[in-house]
Amino acid sequence: MSGQRRIEDLRIYSFNREIYGEPDAELADSLASFGLQHPIQITPDGGILSGARRWAAADALHWKTIATEVPDIDFGDGVAIQKFILLANRYRTSKNNYTQKKEADGYLKLLSIGELTKDDLREAARNKGSVAPDRRHADGRNHEAKPTRLAARAAGLSPRTYDRYRHVDDGGAAEDIVAALEAGAIKPQQASDLKRHLHEDQAKLRKGAAPDTIDGKVRERLEAAKVTDEERKDQEAEEVVEARVHMNNVIAFVDSL
């Protein structure tokens, strides 16, 4: 089903916004010069699945209506819609690595529940101009890539970059801090400072900062915050002395009663 829809009646589908963010009007000049070459893809109730940037550009040009098309999918199934959005954008080249990270997350999720196959991800990787992630053994047998490698390549990221993004953004770095605290390698105040720095790094990451820099900073801070064995022994000795002083004070108080 296709036809003209009023610009003001359309909205960005939530999964589209979650991955690609708010669209800008960067295509306005192209749209003004050449017009709309392909209709935007929408849900029956006006949710934009693909074409958010074209819609934003048309709005900036004060168009009243825009050509739309409703794809033939099961709109009662949110997973099917997510699959459509990812595959509809598989040719898209993002300028923001964090967008690619969110795209890879989506591929990984749909692969894990069987809505996408590894071949789907390999094709998406080829569309992004990414190197095939599978490897070949010396005897000629194929060594199939891990799902995370396939998802990374499908989104146009290197597997190493994707792993670093996930480490900072999905809790891995925070778990490192907790583990170091529990092992006595860092003090509580140092752990608090590290978590604050981590939150700052996560905010930078979501704006497209380089993951190598961010992940390296987190690790450097963690290493710098570790307490040496000598410092730990001094700390434990101080705690023992404080405990003894406290106990002596208690005993003296009881004797005075």
Side-chain angles (χ1 to χ4, degrees):
M1 184 171 65
S2 59
Q4 293 285 326
R5 293 287 296 267
R6 293 198 308 171
I7 295 287
E8 63 184 28
D9 291 341
L10 304 179
R11 70 188 190 286
I12 303 173
Y13 193 78
S14 57
F15 185 72
N16 191 314
R17 178 183 283 108
E18 179 184 334
I19 293 181
Y20 301 108
E22 294 294 337
D24 54 36
E26 62 180 340
L27 299 180
D29 289 343
S30 173
L31 206 61
S33 299
F34 305 107
L36 185 70
Q37 300 300 305
H38 304 283
I40 65 175
Q41 305 287 308
I42 65 171
T43 60
D45 62 350
I48 299 173
L49 301 172
S50 177
R53 291 182 297 171
R54 283 170 281 158
W55 168 75
D59 187 41
L61 293 171
H62 305 294
W63 288 15
K64 298 300 182 184
T65 64
I66 192 169
T68 64
E69 185 175 71
V70 178
D72 185 19
I73 63 173
D74 179 7
F75 288 99
D77 186 351
V79 172
I81 293 176
Q82 293 175 14
K83 177 179 178 180
F84 180 88
I85 290 173
L86 284 173
L87 295 182
N89 286 280
R90 64 187 179 276
Y91 297 103
R92 179 175 178 168
T93 301
S94 175
K95 298 176 182 177
N96 186 326
N97 281 349
Y98 187 67
T99 296
Q100 292 173 289
K101 186 266 180 188
K102 297 293 289 184
E103 199 172 38
D105 288 345
Y107 278 123
L108 194 59
K109 173 188 172 183
L110 295 180
L111 179 65
S112 69
I113 61 176
E115 286 295 324
L116 286 175
T117 67
K118 290 185 175 181
D119 283 339
D120 289 330
L121 269 62
R122 291 186 183 96
E123 182 179 354
R126 286 192 291 271
N127 292 330
K128 289 287 176 67
S130 185
V131 179
D134 293 335
R135 299 173 179 173
R136 188 176 294 275
H137 286 292
D139 62 3
R141 292 183 298 112
N142 281 332
H143 176 65
E144 196 167 75
K146 294 180 180 179
T148 52
R149 289 180 60 85
L150 287 167
R153 292 299 190 187
L157 285 174
S158 75
R160 183 171 179 267
T161 296
Y162 182 44
D163 285 344
R164 293 197 170 212
Y165 263 127
R166 294 178 74 210
H167 183 72
V168 173
D169 194 47
D170 297 344
E175 290 173 3
D176 285 349
I177 294 170
V178 173
L181 177 63
E182 291 177 345
I186 58 176
K187 299 175 182 178
Q189 184 57 51
Q190 292 170 320
S192 178
D193 290 342
L194 280 168
K195 286 183 179 179
R196 176 172 55 81
H197 288 308
L198 177 59
H199 291 156
E200 293 171 355
D201 283 347
Q202 287 171 335
K204 293 176 185 176
L205 182 150
R206 288 163 188 161
K207 293 180 181 178
D212 287 354
T213 302
I214 289 175
D215 191 65
K217 285 182 178 178
V218 171
R219 294 181 186 280
E220 285 173 11
R221 288 174 184 145
L222 194 54
E223 288 298 320
K226 285 183 179 178
V227 183
T228 65
D229 288 339
E230 195 63 35
E231 289 175 325
R232 189 178 303 113
K233 289 176 183 178
D234 290 343
Q235 181 180 339
E236 290 172 354
E238 289 175 6
E239 291 172 354
V240 169
V241 171
E242 289 175 1
R244 286 176 179 171
V245 170
H246 177 70
M247 182 59 67
N248 289 336
N249 289 337
V250 171
I251 292 173
F253 175 75
V254 172
D255 287 345
S256 67
L257 295 178

